Amino acid sequence: MKNKKAQIQNMETITVVIIVMILIVIGIVYATNQKKASLTEERERTKDIEAMTTATNVLSMDFLKCTRGSATRETCIDYYKIKALNNNVFKEENYLHFYRLFGESKIEIKIIKNITGKENENITIYSLEDTENKTSIIIKTPITIEDAVWNINYFGIMEVTAYR
Amino acid sequence: MEIVGLLIIVILVVIIIFFSLSFKSKQTPTNTMISFQDTKITSQLGIVITETHVACGQRERKIRELIEDCATLKEIMCTGKNSCETLNETLKTILNITIGQDLDYILTIARQEQQPITNFTTQGCQNTRRRTEAYTTPIGSTFGPITLMIRICY
């Protein structure tokens, strides 16, 4: 009789130990998943900040801005300066500089010319697509595109695509 | 044996707490990006719109000129349409391209305290209880100040 009681007590102890172990395992799995999720979130936030920095970098480049006398205008980009940049951005001597500024992203300017009776135009300033990371985020910014030769301001949208 | 039943209940409670916690944490997306994008678009849109040129007959005119004329004399004619009609058409095109697909907005242009000369309001902005953020662009004219206001509804 005593032997049977002891056996039951042993069984209980083993069950309790197993259940406690299960609890510990659940805790570890949960903690790992949480850590993984927070790392992914952190990575996405970093990429978001990078995209915002890239968008701000393009608009803060003084050599692209419209100039009147010695003053530059914040929301205006010169049409001919973008075209010139587009032709020079991937030259060997310039590549590293622009890679540091824009990283893996695509910067496209859509010029809405149809309201002036002309055909719309798209100019890609910079494009370095990340083939491994499929997801991307797009930041749109309205800007004035000034054609200083014909003295016309076009409505433009700068689209910065950052790859995650 | 009672202790085993108690532990099973404890396990179930712990599992439920873990699941509810992980579900809650997944439901909070970062909206820094969205607010950056919205602020960027709406804060610059008014300035960019007023500086843009539009085809008006044989020449190009700035939208600022059309707004001033529409709010005051209504003398400018662009291929059979007056300044207000040309302004409305142009604004419609620009708004559709920029914020039309992604955001709910109100765009109004008004001279001082008078009735607005143009007003674009999307469905989502008709509910006045929604939180809004307004950006104004002042347009000076000899007949008094005119204001272009863009309001985004969240």
Side-chain angles (χ1 to χ4, degrees):
Chain A
M1 189 70 184
K2 244 184 183 180
N3 205 7
K4 207 170 184 185
K5 208 176 176 185
Q7 262 186 342
I8 289 170
Q9 264 183 347
N10 258 350
M11 278 281 283
E12 268 187 357
T13 315
I14 289 165
T15 320
V16 168
V17 167
I18 287 170
I19 287 169
V20 167
M21 277 173 79
I22 288 171
L23 274 175
I24 291 169
V25 168
I26 289 172
I28 290 169
V29 169
Y30 177 75
T32 317
N33 280 343
Q34 283 298 102
K35 188 79 191 163
K36 224 186 213 175
S38 75
L39 278 175
T40 316
E41 208 174 88
E42 190 60 40
R43 193 166 165 259
E44 279 182 7
R45 199 176 295 134
T46 312
K47 281 287 173 188
D48 283 356
I49 292 167
E50 274 176 23
M52 290 187 263
T53 312
T54 308
T56 315
N57 279 346
V58 183
L59 286 173
S60 62
M61 288 194 293
D62 274 343
F63 57 86
L64 282 183
K65 284 182 186 169
C66 311
T67 44
R68 199 155 287 170
S70 59
T72 54
R73 284 181 287 155
E74 286 305 312
T75 55
C76 182
I77 286 180
D78 191 293
Y79 176 69
Y80 297 100
K81 289 177 186 171
I82 321 169
K83 287 217 145 187
L85 179 67
N86 176 38
N87 295 330
N88 290 295
V89 78
F90 281 109
K91 282 189 178 167
E92 215 182 319
E93 61 270 31
N94 303 328
Y95 175 76
L96 198 61
H97 172 71
F98 288 108
Y99 179 75
R100 279 189 194 136
L101 272 178
F102 305 138
E104 277 151 355
S105 61
K106 185 181 177 189
I107 302 158
E108 191 176 30
I109 293 181
K110 294 182 172 173
I111 309 172
I112 316 301
K113 286 184 170 179
N114 63 359
I115 52 172
T116 53
K118 294 168 191 160
E119 260 182 53
N120 292 345
E121 190 180 345
N122 287 356
I123 301 173
T124 305
I125 298 182
Y126 177 89
S127 177
L128 190 66
E129 288 181 32
D130 188 348
T131 46
E132 277 177 35
N133 298 318
K134 301 264 191 237
T135 56
S136 61
I137 35 167
I138 300 173
I139 300 178
K140 288 182 187 176
T141 315
I143 40 165
T144 303
I145 310 289
E146 185 186 60
D147 184 334
V149 175
W150 295 99
N151 201 17
I152 294 177
N153 291 338
Y154 298 114
F155 186 91
I157 298 166
M158 185 180 73
E159 276 188 11
V160 175
T161 312
Y163 298 99
R164 270 179 171 164
Chain B
M1 279 313 269
E2 292 83 12
I3 198 154
V4 178
L6 200 71
L7 274 170
I8 286 169
I9 290 166
V10 169
I11 287 182
L12 282 173
V13 170
V14 167
I15 288 172
I16 289 166
I17 289 170
F18 280 155
F19 270 105
S20 65
L21 273 178
S22 62
F23 185 69
K24 227 178 183 179
S25 66
K26 272 176 193 169
Q27 272 189 326
T28 52
T30 55
N31 52 12
T32 324
M33 190 72 187
I34 301 161
S35 70
F36 173 82
Q37 160 106 9
D38 294 354
T39 313
K40 198 94 182 144
I41 286 184
T42 41
S43 61
Q44 286 188 201
L45 194 60
I47 306 163
V48 176
I49 282 175
T50 52
E51 287 301 308
T52 303
H53 279 95
V54 184
C56 183
Q58 294 298 307
R59 54 177 290 194
E60 274 91 18
R61 282 185 186 274
K62 274 192 182 176
I63 293 181
R64 176 187 292 272
E65 288 176 63
L66 295 179
I67 293 172
E68 282 174 24
D69 185 75
C70 179
T72 56
L73 303 168
K74 296 186 177 64
E75 282 178 339
I76 296 173
M77 291 296 286
C78 306
T79 49
K81 289 171 190 160
N82 67 22
S83 52
C84 296
E85 287 168 329
T86 315
L87 177 68
N88 280 334
E89 267 180 27
T90 313
L91 288 178
K92 202 176 173 187
T93 311
I94 289 174
L95 289 170
N96 279 343
I97 298 163
T98 48
I99 52 179
Q101 284 141 18
D102 313 315
L103 300 170
D104 284 314
Y105 62 88
I106 301 171
L107 185 144
T108 52
I109 301 172
R111 193 178 139 201
Q112 285 170 320
E113 304 289 295
Q114 296 177 15
Q115 278 284 98
I117 61 164
T118 191
N119 181 8
F120 291 89
T121 306
T122 56
Q123 197 100 43
C125 264
Q126 280 159 4
N127 180 357
T128 48
R129 281 186 182 178
R130 292 182 74 182
R131 193 165 70 84
T132 60
E133 209 164 332
Y135 297 87
T136 51
T137 309
I139 302 160
S141 95
T142 46
F143 294 90
I146 303 166
T147 313
L148 185 152
M149 198 242 352
I150 297 168
R151 195 181 281 276
I152 297 294
C153 308
Y154 297 100

